[in-house]
Amino acid sequence: LHELSVPDGERAFSPAERAEHRVVSLEQRLPRGLLLRTEVYQRKGYQTRPRWENLVSLYNVFSEVQTDRIRIDSDEDDARGVEVLIERRASGAAAWGWSAGYAWARARERVGDRDIPRARDQRHTLLAEVTYAPNPRWNASAAWQYHTGWPTTGASYVLVPLANGRRAVQRVLGTPYAERLPAYHRLDLRVTR
């Protein structure tokens, strides 16, 4: 038993979900202290439990009171991807280490007669990190990440007449997750002692 969404009006628990996970991972040591890791994975979900999501306000503390909340009843879901990582770990005095990786992924679900992306479906991800340890006490690192945009739901606003003759602004949501946010990237710098 897990997560009965009482604020959304649910009164009964759903049957247990079923999922199949498949993972193949290969790790190979290369010359010059390099390590190459490749992983292929798939997760297929069946009898997926209905869930509630906010289509626009993803990070709201009280998500159940937002007007963009919908119930998603998917018949099945599928997440799959390929990840490749190459790295060289820092070792010894005044050591440099680095890693670089790429991932291709897809996360979709079947809702009625449509396939829609999951909220965190990010197709391409690039990672790079560099570390330098001049001695055992100090460490400096830089980490960069890039990923393509997450799915989002478009919204438009219309004026609707009220009974008192005034008008109010009403949000109209588009097709769930039919649009994409711009690509995301970040750079983190860190020095520790």
PDB file of all heavy atoms in Angstrom, residues 73-93:
ATOM      1  N   ASP A  73      -4.114   8.081 -16.109  1.00  0.00           N
ATOM      2  CA  ASP A  73      -4.393   6.644 -16.069  1.00  0.00           C
ATOM      3  C   ASP A  73      -3.706   6.012 -17.272  1.00  0.00           C
ATOM      4  O   ASP A  73      -4.279   5.949 -18.357  1.00  0.00           O
ATOM      5  CB  ASP A  73      -5.902   6.384 -16.148  1.00  0.00           C
ATOM      6  CG  ASP A  73      -6.638   6.852 -14.914  1.00  0.00           C
ATOM      7  OD1 ASP A  73      -6.422   6.245 -13.858  1.00  0.00           O
ATOM      8  OD2 ASP A  73      -7.403   7.830 -15.011  1.00  0.00           O
ATOM      9  N   SER A  74      -2.476   5.569 -17.084  1.00  0.00           N
ATOM     10  CA  SER A  74      -1.756   4.979 -18.206  1.00  0.00           C
ATOM     11  C   SER A  74      -1.922   3.469 -18.190  1.00  0.00           C
ATOM     12  O   SER A  74      -2.019   2.848 -17.135  1.00  0.00           O
ATOM     13  CB  SER A  74      -0.275   5.370 -18.174  1.00  0.00           C
ATOM     14  OG  SER A  74       0.357   4.838 -17.048  1.00  0.00           O
ATOM     15  N   ASP A  75      -1.968   2.908 -19.383  1.00  0.00           N
ATOM     16  CA  ASP A  75      -2.109   1.464 -19.515  1.00  0.00           C
ATOM     17  C   ASP A  75      -0.767   0.758 -19.331  1.00  0.00           C
ATOM     18  O   ASP A  75      -0.701  -0.347 -18.821  1.00  0.00           O
ATOM     19  CB  ASP A  75      -2.695   1.121 -20.885  1.00  0.00           C
ATOM     20  CG  ASP A  75      -4.060   1.759 -21.079  1.00  0.00           C
ATOM     21  OD1 ASP A  75      -4.859   1.743 -20.117  1.00  0.00           O
ATOM     22  OD2 ASP A  75      -4.320   2.303 -22.163  1.00  0.00           O
ATOM     23  N   GLU A  76       0.304   1.399 -19.794  1.00  0.00           N
ATOM     24  CA  GLU A  76       1.652   0.856 -19.655  1.00  0.00           C
ATOM     25  C   GLU A  76       2.638   1.992 -19.819  1.00  0.00           C
ATOM     26  O   GLU A  76       2.314   3.052 -20.345  1.00  0.00           O
ATOM     27  CB  GLU A  76       1.932  -0.247 -20.677  1.00  0.00           C
ATOM     28  CG  GLU A  76       1.861   0.223 -22.110  1.00  0.00           C
ATOM     29  CD  GLU A  76       2.080  -0.911 -23.090  1.00  0.00           C
ATOM     30  OE1 GLU A  76       1.451  -1.966 -22.930  1.00  0.00           O
ATOM     31  OE2 GLU A  76       2.880  -0.730 -24.023  1.00  0.00           O
ATOM     32  N   ASP A  77       3.867   1.781 -19.332  1.00  0.00           N
ATOM     33  CA  ASP A  77       4.903   2.787 -19.521  1.00  0.00           C
ATOM     34  C   ASP A  77       6.193   2.103 -19.927  1.00  0.00           C
ATOM     35  O   ASP A  77       6.371   0.900 -19.713  1.00  0.00           O
ATOM     36  CB  ASP A  77       5.098   3.643 -18.263  1.00  0.00           C
ATOM     37  CG  ASP A  77       5.568   2.857 -17.063  1.00  0.00           C
ATOM     38  OD1 ASP A  77       6.778   2.562 -17.006  1.00  0.00           O
ATOM     39  OD2 ASP A  77       4.747   2.528 -16.190  1.00  0.00           O
ATOM     40  N   ASP A  78       7.065   2.868 -20.548  1.00  0.00           N
ATOM     41  CA  ASP A  78       8.304   2.320 -21.070  1.00  0.00           C
ATOM     42  C   ASP A  78       9.397   3.374 -20.929  1.00  0.00           C
ATOM     43  O   ASP A  78       9.244   4.500 -21.389  1.00  0.00           O
ATOM     44  CB  ASP A  78       8.122   1.949 -22.542  1.00  0.00           C
ATOM     45  CG  ASP A  78       9.388   1.381 -23.142  1.00  0.00           C
ATOM     46  OD1 ASP A  78       9.740   0.247 -22.793  1.00  0.00           O
ATOM     47  OD2 ASP A  78      10.022   2.076 -23.958  1.00  0.00           O
ATOM     48  N   ALA A  79      10.477   3.013 -20.257  1.00  0.00           N
ATOM     49  CA  ALA A  79      11.654   3.877 -20.165  1.00  0.00           C
ATOM     50  C   ALA A  79      12.841   3.066 -20.651  1.00  0.00           C
ATOM     51  O   ALA A  79      13.023   1.910 -20.241  1.00  0.00           O
ATOM     52  CB  ALA A  79      11.864   4.335 -18.728  1.00  0.00           C
ATOM     53  N   ARG A  80      13.638   3.662 -21.526  1.00  0.00           N
ATOM     54  CA  ARG A  80      14.800   2.949 -22.058  1.00  0.00           C
ATOM     55  C   ARG A  80      15.898   3.939 -22.362  1.00  0.00           C
ATOM     56  O   ARG A  80      15.639   5.125 -22.543  1.00  0.00           O
ATOM     57  CB  ARG A  80      14.431   2.150 -23.299  1.00  0.00           C
ATOM     58  CG  ARG A  80      13.873   2.989 -24.418  1.00  0.00           C
ATOM     59  CD  ARG A  80      13.444   2.183 -25.618  1.00  0.00           C
ATOM     60  NE  ARG A  80      12.334   1.316 -25.271  1.00  0.00           N
ATOM     61  CZ  ARG A  80      11.943   0.291 -26.001  1.00  0.00           C
ATOM     62  NH1 ARG A  80      12.560   0.015 -27.114  1.00  0.00           N
ATOM     63  NH2 ARG A  80      10.935  -0.458 -25.630  1.00  0.00           N
ATOM     64  N   GLY A  81      17.119   3.432 -22.394  1.00  0.00           N
ATOM     65  CA  GLY A  81      18.218   4.330 -22.685  1.00  0.00           C
ATOM     66  C   GLY A  81      19.550   3.619 -22.812  1.00  0.00           C
ATOM     67  O   GLY A  81      19.679   2.421 -22.544  1.00  0.00           O
ATOM     68  N   VAL A  82      20.538   4.416 -23.215  1.00  0.00           N
ATOM     69  CA  VAL A  82      21.913   3.974 -23.355  1.00  0.00           C
ATOM     70  C   VAL A  82      22.782   5.035 -22.700  1.00  0.00           C
ATOM     71  O   VAL A  82      22.590   6.229 -22.947  1.00  0.00           O
ATOM     72  CB  VAL A  82      22.322   3.824 -24.834  1.00  0.00           C
ATOM     73  CG1 VAL A  82      23.781   3.436 -24.965  1.00  0.00           C
ATOM     74  CG2 VAL A  82      21.426   2.841 -25.549  1.00  0.00           C
ATOM     75  N   GLU A  83      23.707   4.601 -21.857  1.00  0.00           N
ATOM     76  CA  GLU A  83      24.619   5.529 -21.200  1.00  0.00           C
ATOM     77  C   GLU A  83      26.052   5.076 -21.442  1.00  0.00           C
ATOM     78  O   GLU A  83      26.359   3.886 -21.342  1.00  0.00           O
ATOM     79  CB  GLU A  83      24.344   5.583 -19.699  1.00  0.00           C
ATOM     80  CG  GLU A  83      22.964   6.079 -19.359  1.00  0.00           C
ATOM     81  CD  GLU A  83      22.673   6.070 -17.860  1.00  0.00           C
ATOM     82  OE1 GLU A  83      23.593   5.740 -17.067  1.00  0.00           O
ATOM     83  OE2 GLU A  83      21.535   6.374 -17.489  1.00  0.00           O
ATOM     84  N   VAL A  84      26.931   6.040 -21.744  1.00  0.00           N
ATOM     85  CA  VAL A  84      28.352   5.770 -21.949  1.00  0.00           C
ATOM     86  C   VAL A  84      29.132   6.740 -21.077  1.00  0.00           C
ATOM     87  O   VAL A  84      28.880   7.950 -21.112  1.00  0.00           O
ATOM     88  CB  VAL A  84      28.754   5.940 -23.425  1.00  0.00           C
ATOM     89  CG1 VAL A  84      30.245   5.697 -23.612  1.00  0.00           C
ATOM     90  CG2 VAL A  84      27.946   5.017 -24.319  1.00  0.00           C
ATOM     91  N   LEU A  85      30.070   6.218 -20.295  1.00  0.00           N
ATOM     92  CA  LEU A  85      30.880   7.046 -19.410  1.00  0.00           C
ATOM     93  C   LEU A  85      32.333   6.617 -19.530  1.00  0.00           C
ATOM     94  O   LEU A  85      32.639   5.424 -19.495  1.00  0.00           O
ATOM     95  CB  LEU A  85      30.433   6.891 -17.951  1.00  0.00           C
ATOM     96  CG  LEU A  85      31.262   7.651 -16.920  1.00  0.00           C
ATOM     97  CD1 LEU A  85      30.977   9.145 -17.000  1.00  0.00           C
ATOM     98  CD2 LEU A  85      30.973   7.136 -15.525  1.00  0.00           C
ATOM     99  N   ILE A  86      33.213   7.590 -19.692  1.00  0.00           N
ATOM    100  CA  ILE A  86      34.649   7.315 -19.669  1.00  0.00           C
ATOM    101  C   ILE A  86      35.246   8.206 -18.591  1.00  0.00           C
ATOM    102  O   ILE A  86      34.864   9.374 -18.453  1.00  0.00           O
ATOM    103  CB  ILE A  86      35.314   7.531 -21.052  1.00  0.00           C
ATOM    104  CG1 ILE A  86      36.763   7.057 -20.999  1.00  0.00           C
ATOM    105  CG2 ILE A  86      35.170   8.958 -21.523  1.00  0.00           C
ATOM    106  CD1 ILE A  86      37.386   6.878 -22.373  1.00  0.00           C
ATOM    107  N   GLU A  87      36.147   7.624 -17.803  1.00  0.00           N
ATOM    108  CA  GLU A  87      36.713   8.416 -16.709  1.00  0.00           C
ATOM    109  C   GLU A  87      38.143   8.004 -16.414  1.00  0.00           C
ATOM    110  O   GLU A  87      38.574   6.892 -16.727  1.00  0.00           O
ATOM    111  CB  GLU A  87      35.871   8.277 -15.448  1.00  0.00           C
ATOM    112  CG  GLU A  87      35.876   6.916 -14.811  1.00  0.00           C
ATOM    113  CD  GLU A  87      35.034   6.843 -13.544  1.00  0.00           C
ATOM    114  OE1 GLU A  87      34.617   7.889 -13.023  1.00  0.00           O
ATOM    115  OE2 GLU A  87      34.791   5.731 -13.081  1.00  0.00           O
ATOM    116  N   ARG A  88      38.825   8.939 -15.795  1.00  0.00           N
ATOM    117  CA  ARG A  88      40.157   8.696 -15.263  1.00  0.00           C
ATOM    118  C   ARG A  88      40.167   9.283 -13.863  1.00  0.00           C
ATOM    119  O   ARG A  88      40.029  10.494 -13.698  1.00  0.00           O
ATOM    120  CB  ARG A  88      41.235   9.360 -16.104  1.00  0.00           C
ATOM    121  CG  ARG A  88      42.631   9.058 -15.616  1.00  0.00           C
ATOM    122  CD  ARG A  88      43.690   9.671 -16.533  1.00  0.00           C
ATOM    123  NE  ARG A  88      45.010   9.312 -16.090  1.00  0.00           N
ATOM    124  CZ  ARG A  88      45.674   9.954 -15.123  1.00  0.00           C
ATOM    125  NH1 ARG A  88      45.117  10.980 -14.515  1.00  0.00           N
ATOM    126  NH2 ARG A  88      46.881   9.571 -14.770  1.00  0.00           N
ATOM    127  N   ARG A  89      40.296   8.424 -12.870  1.00  0.00           N
ATOM    128  CA  ARG A  89      40.249   8.875 -11.482  1.00  0.00           C
ATOM    129  C   ARG A  89      41.580   9.466 -11.062  1.00  0.00           C
ATOM    130  O   ARG A  89      42.640   9.003 -11.471  1.00  0.00           O
ATOM    131  CB  ARG A  89      39.872   7.723 -10.567  1.00  0.00           C
ATOM    132  CG  ARG A  89      38.473   7.248 -10.832  1.00  0.00           C
ATOM    133  CD  ARG A  89      37.995   6.307  -9.775  1.00  0.00           C
ATOM    134  NE  ARG A  89      36.618   5.926 -10.073  1.00  0.00           N
ATOM    135  CZ  ARG A  89      36.137   4.747  -9.828  1.00  0.00           C
ATOM    136  NH1 ARG A  89      36.887   3.830  -9.275  1.00  0.00           N
ATOM    137  NH2 ARG A  89      34.887   4.470 -10.121  1.00  0.00           N
ATOM    138  N   ALA A  90      41.477  10.490 -10.209  1.00  0.00           N
ATOM    139  CA  ALA A  90      42.691  11.116  -9.676  1.00  0.00           C
ATOM    140  C   ALA A  90      43.353  10.174  -8.689  1.00  0.00           C
ATOM    141  O   ALA A  90      42.688   9.552  -7.869  1.00  0.00           O
ATOM    142  CB  ALA A  90      42.324  12.433  -8.993  1.00  0.00           C
ATOM    143  N   SER A  91      44.683  10.068  -8.776  1.00  0.00           N
ATOM    144  CA  SER A  91      45.414   9.251  -7.801  1.00  0.00           C
ATOM    145  C   SER A  91      46.817   9.822  -7.658  1.00  0.00           C
ATOM    146  O   SER A  91      47.387  10.361  -8.598  1.00  0.00           O
ATOM    147  CB  SER A  91      45.472   7.787  -8.244  1.00  0.00           C
ATOM    148  OG  SER A  91      46.166   7.675  -9.456  1.00  0.00           O
ATOM    149  N   GLY A  92      47.352   9.731  -6.446  1.00  0.00           N
ATOM    150  CA  GLY A  92      48.689  10.237  -6.181  1.00  0.00           C
ATOM    151  C   GLY A  92      48.680  11.714  -5.851  1.00  0.00           C
ATOM    152  O   GLY A  92      47.631  12.357  -5.748  1.00  0.00           O
ATOM    153  N   ALA A  93      49.868  12.286  -5.681  1.00  0.00           N
ATOM    154  CA  ALA A  93      50.009  13.711  -5.345  1.00  0.00           C
ATOM    155  C   ALA A  93      49.791  14.559  -6.590  1.00  0.00           C
ATOM    156  O   ALA A  93      50.140  14.176  -7.698  1.00  0.00           O
ATOM    157  CB  ALA A  93      51.396  13.962  -4.763  1.00  0.00           C
TER     158      ALA A  93
END
